[in-house]
Amino acid sequence: MKTLEELQTYAWQLMAKSSPAIRPPNKEGAIYRYWLEHKDGLGPPMTNEYALTDGENLAGQVFCTGKVLVWRGGDEVIVV
């Protein structure tokens, strides 16, 4: 489990890695559905979805643009 701050730090460091791992999408997940509608501005994911431990934020995922999508329950996804 990570906090949102830890995930954002990871986003900063991620671009130094040579190649992201191949990962299957969670096609039922709110983050994936949000990404389908906004992928032009987000690019592909660089990480898996991580469970978050800081209050109202349930899960987060880092994208190649450095943006982090955060799932807050139901269909609510925000860009951080």
Side-chain angles (χ1 to χ4, degrees):
M1 299 246 245
K2 297 185 178 298
T3 65
L4 179 55
E5 182 178 344
E6 289 170 327
L7 194 59
Q8 289 187 128
T9 299
Y10 188 47
W12 177 264
Q13 297 168 343
L14 206 65
M15 298 316 279
K17 292 188 175 201
S18 60
S19 177
I22 295 173
R23 62 191 53 81
N26 174 6
K27 293 183 179 182
E28 302 301 318
I31 289 178
Y32 178 75
R33 291 191 320 266
Y34 184 94
W35 174 79
L36 282 176
E37 294 179 24
H38 302 92
K39 61 186 171 185
D40 289 344
L42 296 168
M46 296 295 289
T47 67
N48 291 318
E49 287 185 26
Y50 290 100
L52 298 175
T53 59
D54 51 356
E56 62 197 24
N57 303 315
L58 299 176
Q61 188 168 13
V62 178
F63 288 78
C64 74
T65 55
K67 294 177 181 173
V68 176
L69 292 186
V70 175
W71 174 57
R72 292 192 156 176
D75 290 329
E76 184 181 1
V77 174
I78 62 168
V79 179
V80 184

